[in-house]
Amino acid sequence: MDRPIEISAIIPAYNREKTIARALDSVLAQEYAVAEIVVIDDGSRDGTRNVVERYGGVVRYVYQENGGVAAARNKGVSVARHPWIAFLDSDDYWLPDHLKRMADAISSTGEKAALYFSDIIPTDLGEDSYWNLCGFKIPGQHELRLDASDWSMMKRRPMVLETSVIRRESYVESGGIPEALVVSEDTFLFLKLCFLYPACAVSGFGAVVTSDCNESGRASQVDGSKRYECRKLLYKELLRFSGSMKEDHQREIRKGLVRAYLNAGKFFLRRKEFRPALANICGSMGLNPMVSAMLVVHMLGDYCSRKHSKEMLT
Amino acid sequence: MSRKARVIAFYLPQFHPIPENDEWWGKGFTEWTNTAKAKPLFPGHYQPHVPGDLGFYDLRVPETRVAQAEMAKEYGVEGFCYYHYWFGGKMLIERPFDEVLNSGIPDFPFCLCWANQTWTGIWHGAPDRVLIEQTYPGPEDDKRHFDYLLKAFHDERYMKIDGKPMFFVYRPRQLPDSKKTTDSWREIAQRSGLKDLYLVGVEYVPWNHADYGYDAQVAVRLLGSFRMNGTWKIRKYLRRLLGRPQDVYLYKDIYKHLLMPEAKAEDIHPAVFPNWDSTPRSGERGTVFHESSPDLFREHLRDVILQVSHKPYETRFIFVKSWNEWAEGNHLEPDLKFGKGYLEVLKEEIETNSR
């Protein structure tokens, strides 16, 4: 394909004055140049803006009131001007040949996939390849799958947002990410894209991820009940696409939703907030009476025995 | 006007009397007979469907055929896929299509789907009665069949992919020695100067169409191909006790099940269902998508458009089942209740710059 692959780099940032320069430098150092760089400042209160402005006109700086990472990503996509988008988190950085490998894969697969992703070096997990950790391997330079949902439903998903290049049109037409999803927004995006569109794995490393790549870093900043709300929302939103899921995946997602309700119930029960606890448990019963009834019995037993043992101790 | 997908609607020609139906079902029988005499079978059941703008038409009337095509075109349907009946040389209800072909009017794209199904009492809820049997007498018959079809294939209005006429088979797995048969069809087509055929099988479940000699399939996911969860079986049993149709699904519950995940593939084309209610034809044995509405059809359509959006435009098909299956409660054509509601939704969703 002769058409050049034009990529917009999108960097959402929240209070990242210390690391964002490294991220930006790694974008500028790409062997395959990006068509534009967009920084979405999600309401930072530190010097993030000053650091970004030092780069002058090369970087588009867009400020929004703090709206969470999902909102920042949607915003980035909506202001991007080119057909492909590549996300980079402001505390991570790309390796110099990342976009070159991606652009090669995109053009040699005829731009067929909506999602191209590759491996990362996860420095904090004590591993040199994230894919090894996932048990994920592809035979050649890249592997295109019409239906990559099996990949996205793996226990450990091999996709990482930092190395993903996504077709902008697909991101937009499938409705972006629900903004209330303040955690797991990447999970949502990957599952959805893989249910709906072809995806392609590209071998080799794209980025060094210093932060916790499975989001628990961010999750720990979000308060408990909200985290459970997000979990529920994640599965509910995914079920909107149930028609495009294989049956076993559909079952899995439904089960996930039941579990999310139950975990929320458990959480509130532990905090002795009985009303929301009951609401959540009833919610799970409504979804799947059989399974959740069993789990509730199990859970209550668990709760009572723990209470009992606590009393014994004191 | 650019469109998000190419919409083809299945078209049933059984809207004019023929001697065979007169004999089997009584003088004057057409689809309207069943459509009009339908009754609601449970509270809230929407029946009968009474046709709106086009009236109780007779497909022998050229003006009707023109009005249908104009309406289809205006609301984003690219072409009709006419059901075609061939029983070892004997044809039925072929007149509307023959007249379209021979008169050149309406000037609207079309293709043909061989409804290779034995006619039992299907039109009238008596499935055990065999009226005319589908047979496959062999190469001689294929040749005669194709002599008839080739005239249509060479028509300018016939829908083609890369120069190959699209020909559909409704029950592809019933052909004996499918690969050999389809190869011989292709050969006949090529000898007549066509590049090749684009053969499409209609199927309910994912199917290895290439092994059977087909280029693609239409995924008509319906009837028995989906499973409902939980209390479904109990409800079904209760309905049977009450003597009501058992297969009643709320459209809002069922529309997600009408998609086939495999339709992401370029050679698997999805079908959409604006509505469905076959009780006019089959009584309590019918299947009902209860509380269908244009708004819910919009959701269904959006799902399917998303599913095909990444395909190259040439094969970015969505099949509508159906344009005018009135006795299956399955029609885009306007009725008194919703008017052009379904058509308007189709137009709004399929045309990119109408919103």
Side-chain angles (χ1 to χ4, degrees):
Chain A
M1 207 152 286
D2 302 314
R3 194 148 62 102
I5 307 296
E6 291 172 312
I7 304 174
S8 300
I10 296 175
I11 310 179
Y14 176 62
N15 292 345
R16 285 285 169 69
E17 59 179 6
K18 291 209 180 70
T19 54
I20 191 152
R22 184 178 62 186
L24 284 169
D25 290 341
S26 80
V27 177
L28 291 167
Q30 289 297 306
E31 288 163 27
Y32 185 93
V34 290
E36 67 174 342
I37 306 174
V38 183
V39 172
I40 304 294
D41 186 344
D42 188 25
S44 295
R45 282 182 298 252
D46 67 351
T48 301
R49 176 181 203 136
N50 297 336
V51 179
V52 175
E53 276 177 349
R54 249 180 268 146
Y55 287 81
V58 238
V59 180
R60 285 172 69 194
Y61 174 86
V62 178
Y63 181 86
Q64 67 167 27
E65 290 297 319
N66 187 272
V69 68
R73 294 199 196 284
N74 287 344
K75 177 84 180 177
V77 174
S78 76
V79 301
R81 297 187 183 123
H82 300 280
W84 294 94
I85 46 181
F87 286 115
L88 177 62
D89 278 355
S90 44
D91 49 350
D92 306 323
Y93 58 96
W94 283 336
L95 296 166
D97 65 343
H98 170 49
L99 291 183
K100 183 171 182 302
R101 283 182 310 105
M102 299 313 258
D104 283 349
I106 293 172
S107 48
S108 62
T109 51
E111 307 190 21
K112 275 218 157 58
L115 166 69
Y116 291 81
F117 63 97
S118 65
D119 201 357
I120 52 167
I121 304 175
T123 55
D124 60 338
L125 291 177
E127 272 285 342
D128 31 4
S129 154
Y130 179 63
W131 283 5
N132 277 350
L133 210 65
C134 304
F136 181 76
K137 240 194 313 233
I138 54 168
Q141 278 304 301
H142 49 73
E143 186 178 345
L144 176 73
R145 280 221 186 160
L146 194 63
D147 184 348
S149 53
D150 285 337
W151 286 349
S152 69
M153 293 290 284
M154 283 170 72
K155 262 225 165 67
R156 244 181 207 273
R157 214 176 327 106
M159 296 110 186
V160 195
L161 217 39
E162 281 79 359
T163 65
S164 296
V165 178
I166 299 167
R167 186 201 306 278
R168 182 174 177 275
E169 197 188 4
S170 306
Y171 185 101
V172 173
E173 74 181 1
S174 65
I177 307 175
E179 314 222 318
L181 212 55
V182 289
V183 291
S184 307
E185 93 287 354
D186 51 349
T187 306
F188 173 79
L189 187 63
F190 288 132
L191 288 175
K192 180 177 76 166
L193 291 176
C194 290
F195 289 137
L196 294 174
Y197 307 107
C200 179
V202 185
S203 70
F205 298 97
V208 176
V209 173
T210 55
S211 59
D212 210 333
C213 59
N214 31 9
E215 92 200 0
S216 53
R218 199 171 346 114
S220 60
Q221 297 157 17
V222 176
D223 108 277
S225 64
K226 205 161 184 187
R227 205 154 67 222
Y228 290 110
E229 282 310 311
C230 278
R231 214 66 207 164
K232 285 192 278 184
L233 183 68
L234 166 71
Y235 290 117
K236 269 191 219 161
E237 287 286 326
L238 283 172
L239 282 174
R240 290 179 42 216
F241 305 95
S242 62
S244 300
M245 295 177 196
K246 292 198 269 193
E247 246 175 64
D248 50 331
H249 292 161
Q250 232 182 79
R251 256 199 309 277
E252 199 110 328
I253 300 283
R254 279 185 214 286
K255 234 193 262 169
L257 185 58
V258 172
R259 218 176 302 123
Y261 268 100
L262 276 177
N263 286 339
K266 236 182 196 165
F267 169 80
F268 286 117
L269 203 58
R270 238 178 283 132
R271 297 219 306 208
K272 300 227 163 44
E273 292 173 31
F274 293 108
R275 195 179 285 238
L278 195 65
N280 278 298
I281 292 169
C282 289
S284 74
M285 300 278 247
L287 289 163
N288 191 338
M290 295 300 273
V291 173
S292 46
M294 262 155 36
L295 287 170
V296 166
V297 170
H298 182 79
M299 189 175 107
L300 287 175
D302 190 49
Y303 175 72
C304 292
S305 68
R306 201 180 310 160
K307 202 170 169 192
H308 185 66
S309 61
K310 248 187 215 160
E311 278 162 10
M312 299 274 279
L313 285 172
T314 50
Chain B
M1 179 78 67
S2 76
R3 289 181 180 153
K4 288 187 197 151
R6 307 179 64 183
V7 175
I8 298 180
F10 285 106
Y11 181 108
L12 178 71
Q14 177 147 272
F15 291 91
H16 65 96
I18 54 169
E20 289 82 356
N21 275 334
D22 283 351
E23 184 194 322
W24 293 327
W25 304 119
K27 189 122 185 83
F29 176 89
T30 68
E31 281 294 286
W32 296 126
T33 314
N34 286 333
T35 307
K37 74 178 172 59
K39 291 187 182 62
L41 297 178
F42 52 90
H45 185 195
Y46 167 44
Q47 277 301 347
H49 294 201
V50 178
D53 306 42
L54 297 168
F56 286 97
Y57 53 70
D58 183 324
L59 285 183
R60 291 172 299 189
V61 178
E63 286 88 342
T64 292
R65 302 190 301 250
V66 170
Q68 285 176 320
E70 279 173 356
M71 185 182 278
K73 195 177 197 168
E74 186 184 344
Y75 288 93
V77 177
E78 190 178 322
F80 286 143
C81 182
Y82 290 87
Y83 286 120
H84 148 81
Y85 303 85
W86 178 273
F87 302 90
K90 167 86 179 157
M91 298 180 69
L92 290 175
I93 49 176
E94 75 284 8
R95 179 166 164 180
F97 178 71
D98 278 355
E99 291 186 4
V100 168
L101 182 63
N102 294 328
S103 66
I105 297 168
D107 182 13
F108 186 64
F110 55 72
C111 47
L112 287 171
C113 175
W114 181 18
N116 57 328
Q117 233 178 342
T118 293
W119 279 25
T120 54
I122 42 171
W123 311 117
H124 211 277
D128 303 332
R129 203 173 137 195
V130 174
L131 304 176
I132 182 163
E133 202 180 349
Q134 184 67 59
T135 52
Y136 306 95
E140 275 302 301
D141 179 59
D142 281 341
K143 202 182 160 305
R144 271 190 303 159
H145 189 184
F146 268 73
D147 280 345
Y148 171 80
L149 292 172
L150 284 172
K151 185 175 178 207
F153 290 167
H154 282 281
D155 192 285
E156 263 186 16
R157 292 166 292 169
Y158 202 96
M159 299 187 79
K160 300 178 179 77
I161 297 281
D162 186 24
K164 307 170 198 167
M166 304 169 74
F167 181 60
F168 297 73
V169 179
Y170 196 70
R171 285 276 178 271
R173 282 194 271 201
Q174 290 188 0
L175 296 185
D177 212 348
S178 180
K179 185 78 168 66
K180 210 174 120 199
T181 309
T182 51
D183 281 348
S184 75
W185 292 352
R186 290 179 198 279
E187 205 189 306
I188 297 172
Q190 281 160 0
R191 265 205 311 262
S192 84
L194 289 164
K195 193 167 163 192
D196 196 354
L197 293 171
Y198 186 83
L199 291 173
V200 189
V202 178
E203 265 302 337
Y204 290 59
V205 287
W207 159 69
N208 46 339
H209 56 260
D211 295 351
Y212 285 76
Y214 287 82
D215 298 278
Q217 61 176 298
V218 178
V220 174
R221 189 160 198 208
L222 190 71
L223 308 189
S225 52
F226 40 70
R227 281 210 314 265
M228 299 299 283
N229 56 351
T231 55
W232 173 248
K233 273 194 184 142
I234 305 168
R235 279 187 280 162
K236 192 164 167 164
Y237 183 70
L238 286 176
R239 279 203 203 88
R240 192 160 76 190
L241 286 181
L242 290 170
R244 289 182 184 169
Q246 297 163 41
D247 289 314
V248 180
Y249 307 84
L250 285 176
Y251 190 92
K252 74 176 168 56
D253 292 339
I254 202 71
Y255 79 89
K256 291 281 183 196
H257 297 260
L258 298 174
L259 269 70
M260 201 189 275
E262 290 77 7
K264 270 197 276 189
E266 261 169 49
D267 52 1
I268 302 185
H269 307 304
V272 290
F273 302 82
N275 37 30
W276 190 278
D277 183 349
S278 53
T279 59
R281 215 178 255 174
S282 316
E284 294 84 60
R285 279 188 302 265
T287 297
V288 184
F289 291 175
H290 190 39
E291 291 175 354
S292 315
S293 71
D295 284 338
L296 289 171
F297 177 53
R298 186 192 302 280
E299 301 298 316
H300 178 36
L301 197 55
R302 281 186 182 165
D303 283 351
V304 175
I305 290 173
L306 214 49
Q307 210 176 24
V308 299
S309 59
H310 67 275
K311 302 184 190 181
Y313 190 75
E314 180 152 56
T315 55
R316 204 187 296 162
F317 287 113
I318 294 177
F319 287 84
V320 180
K321 192 148 171 63
S322 308
W323 174 256
N324 63 342
E325 285 270 11
W326 283 89
E328 279 179 352
N330 172 223
H331 51 87
L332 279 179
E333 282 182 344
D335 62 9
L336 289 187
K337 183 171 177 185
F338 294 109
K340 286 181 183 157
Y342 289 103
L343 285 167
E344 272 154 12
V345 163
L346 178 67
K347 185 184 168 89
E348 282 161 26
E349 293 303 317
I350 215 75
E351 283 176 0
T352 44
N353 43 4
S354 67
R355 244 183 298 173

